[in-house]
């Protein structure tokens, strides 16, 4: 819905910044959910060149609204800081954990200082055995209760926590440590009781993207006039996707019951030019529905949508003859391009 609002609003509308924030928040929620699922399934992260300063800006804006007014935030962020090769959600998780840890150390108020800059790690650096070379250095400093040496030596151990049981699991810093080690980086801690702590995260700096900044895709959405059968047991999602597709010019018939959808298709197999179906539905799953339909009409283009399922993947869908596979939440431009690709290939 936010994507459709963005299309309807003039670029200079006072409502546009709010719509863009909704979109950004939705995408971040999507990415965090993917990260949770990936953690449980041990799925390989999506490694790409990223700028930590962009993530920092987002996290600071988020945490500012939840930190008490007694905590001041100071930012010393180099806007030209270089790239790192990482999964954005991993880095988001690192930043959130470090800021949350600092907040818990300053529950009576204090100063939170967040720094980001480029740094060279020399062979004689006292805090690390890491390879020398160019790094991006993220520092989170608090003026809280600090730690004695014995505590400091245990903070990265899983389940170790100095907090009350209802305030922490002891996993936050352990997760941070694991993420940074996976990226061939390291993390250092300097702390003195009653004088605060400084956590420094060092991640190897990546080469610049050839050709400078990536261009934003401003190509118009691909449209059509074909008839689409849309199947999703969640009525709200079905209505939203129907509206999205109709705005692209398509005629859309929706069904919220997979058995009814199969019956409607079998009554007139040539009526529909393409089928879009959810994966997880009561009665009949999307992949089974697709196979039943393609048994009746082998040339039928089908797009399978899923938020998460152990039973299906793009490879498994392709092995069943399903031409399209897309992850929820559905992005309008991606769906529009996939529909046209299947229809034009079959046409």
């Amino acid at each position: 819905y936010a994507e459709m609002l963005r299309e309807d609003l003039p670029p200079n509308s006072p409502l546009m910044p709010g719509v863009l924030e909704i979109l950004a928040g939705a995408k971040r929620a999507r990415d965090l959910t993917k990260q949770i699922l990936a953690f449980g399934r041990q799925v390989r992260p999506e490694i790409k060149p990223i700028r930590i300063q962009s993530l920092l800006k987002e996290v600071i804006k988020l945490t500012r609204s939840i930190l008490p007014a007694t905590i001041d935030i100071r930012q010393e962020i180099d806007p030209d800081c270089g790239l790192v090769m990482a999964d954005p959600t991993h880095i988001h998780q690192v930043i959130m954990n470090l800021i949350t840890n600092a907040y818990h150390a300053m529950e009576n108020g204090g100063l939170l200082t967040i720094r980001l800059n480029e740094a060279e790690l020399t062979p004689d650096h006292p805090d690390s055995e890491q390879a020398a070379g160019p790094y991006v250095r993220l520092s989170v400093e608090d003026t809280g209760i600090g730690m004695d040496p014995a505590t400091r030596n245990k903070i990265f151990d899983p389940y170790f926590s100095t907090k009350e049981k209802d305030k922490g699991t002891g996993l936050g810093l352990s997760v941070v440590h694991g993420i940074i080690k996976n990226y061939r980086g390291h993390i250092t801690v300097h702390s003195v009781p009653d004088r605060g702590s400084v956590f420094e995260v060092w991640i190897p700096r990546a080469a610049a993207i050839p050709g400078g900044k990536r261009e934003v895709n401003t190509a118009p959405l691909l449209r059509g006039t074909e008839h689409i059968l849309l199947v999703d047991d969640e009525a709200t999602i079905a209505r939203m996707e129907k509206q999205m597709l109709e705005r692209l010019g398509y005629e859309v018939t929706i069904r919220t019951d997979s058995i009814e959808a199969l019956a409607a298709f079998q009554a007139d197999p040539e009526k529909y030019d393409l089928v879009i179906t959810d994966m997880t539905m009561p009665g009949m799953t999307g992949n089974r529905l697709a196979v039943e339909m393609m048994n009746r009409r082998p040339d039928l283009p089908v797009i399978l949508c899923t938020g998460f399922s152990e039973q299906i993947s793009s490879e498994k869908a392709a092995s069943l003859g399903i031409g399209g596979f897309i992850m929820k939440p559905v992005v309008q431009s991606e769906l529009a391009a996939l529909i046209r690709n299947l229809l034009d290939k079959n046409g």
Side-chain angles (χ1 to χ4, degrees):
Y1 282 116
E3 283 185 318
M4 289 185 277
L5 278 173
R6 182 181 59 185
E7 287 181 17
D8 291 341
L9 290 173
N12 59 350
S13 169
L15 301 178
M16 184 62 79
V19 171
L20 295 178
E21 287 293 337
I22 293 170
L23 270 174
K27 289 175 180 176
R28 176 56 58 197
R30 174 197 63 189
D31 292 344
L32 286 172
T33 303
K34 284 171 59 179
Q35 181 59 41
I36 293 169
L37 295 173
F39 182 79
R41 292 179 290 154
Q42 297 300 307
V43 172
R44 183 175 298 176
E46 182 184 355
I47 307 298
K48 59 185 179 182
I50 61 171
R51 297 187 184 278
I52 294 181
Q53 55 268 45
S54 301
L55 289 173
L56 267 177
K57 181 180 178 182
E58 182 180 318
V59 175
I60 291 170
K61 185 185 295 184
L62 171 65
T63 54
R64 179 68 280 179
S65 63
I66 60 176
L67 292 180
T70 53
I71 294 179
D72 293 323
I73 299 178
R74 176 189 296 162
Q75 302 178 45
E76 299 176 9
I77 298 171
D78 179 1
D80 299 318
C81 194
L83 301 163
V84 299
M85 293 297 298
D87 184 307
T89 311
H90 277 169
I91 302 304
H92 189 279
Q93 192 174 8
V94 166
I95 299 168
M96 282 296 295
N97 272 318
L98 291 179
I99 290 179
T100 301
N101 191 68
Y103 154 55
H104 286 154
M106 299 188 293
E107 292 191 335
N108 295 322
L111 175 63
L112 172 63
T113 304
I114 301 170
R115 302 181 180 91
L116 181 73
N117 62 337
E118 295 182 354
E120 288 287 331
L121 191 60
T122 58
D124 58 349
H125 192 280
D127 294 319
S128 174
E129 298 177 357
Q130 292 294 120
Y135 284 76
V136 169
R137 178 174 57 190
L138 167 66
S139 170
V140 177
E141 179 178 358
D142 66 71
T143 57
I145 57 175
M147 296 174 283
D148 58 35
T151 301
R152 191 171 63 242
N153 290 336
K154 295 180 180 179
I155 57 173
F156 295 123
D157 294 347
Y159 303 108
F160 175 79
S161 179
T162 60
K163 303 167 190 170
E164 298 173 18
K165 287 186 177 180
D166 61 342
K167 291 188 178 181
T169 62
L171 286 173
L173 291 177
S174 174
V175 168
V176 168
H177 186 266
I179 289 173
I180 298 305
K181 284 294 183 183
N182 283 340
Y183 292 133
R184 295 180 295 106
H186 73 281
I187 181 169
T188 62
V189 186
H190 303 280
S191 186
V192 176
D194 300 320
R195 294 180 61 183
S197 304
V198 182
F199 286 78
E200 283 190 352
V201 169
W202 297 64
I203 305 175
R205 197 160 75 238
I209 301 174
K213 294 183 179 180
R214 294 178 178 176
E215 293 184 4
V216 177
N217 182 13
T218 57
L221 292 171
L222 300 177
R223 301 174 181 274
T225 57
E226 290 87 348
H227 192 174
I228 295 175
L229 175 60
L230 175 64
V231 189
D232 197 305
D233 64 303
E234 293 191 49
T236 53
I237 293 177
R239 287 195 299 269
M240 181 273 292
E241 292 181 350
K242 180 177 188 288
Q243 185 177 344
M244 181 187 292
L245 293 168
E246 286 177 339
R247 291 162 69 98
L248 294 172
Y250 296 102
E251 180 183 355
V252 183
T253 297
I254 62 174
R255 289 287 186 272
T256 55
D257 183 287
S258 54
I259 304 297
E260 291 180 3
L262 181 59
F265 175 81
Q266 289 177 335
D268 189 356
E270 300 299 324
K271 181 178 180 180
Y272 307 104
D273 299 296
L274 180 138
V275 174
I276 300 174
T277 177
D278 185 30
M279 172 59 192
T280 307
M281 298 183 290
M284 183 180 289
T285 58
N287 58 335
R288 185 179 161 202
L289 175 63
V291 169
E292 291 287 340
M293 289 179 170
M294 290 186 297
N295 284 340
R296 186 71 177 268
R297 185 179 149 194
D299 65 334
L300 178 70
V302 178
I303 295 175
L304 186 63
C305 303
T306 184
F308 166 70
S309 176
E310 293 281 8
Q311 302 174 6
I312 200 69
S313 65
S314 57
E315 293 80 10
K316 290 180 182 178
S319 71
L320 295 173
I322 298 171
F325 183 85
I326 195 166
M327 294 294 295
K328 289 182 175 181
V330 174
V331 177
Q332 190 176 25
S333 59
E334 294 176 5
L335 181 60
L338 183 56
I339 290 171
R340 283 271 40 105
N341 179 53
L342 290 178
L343 288 173
D344 294 343
K345 182 165 56 178
N346 282 36

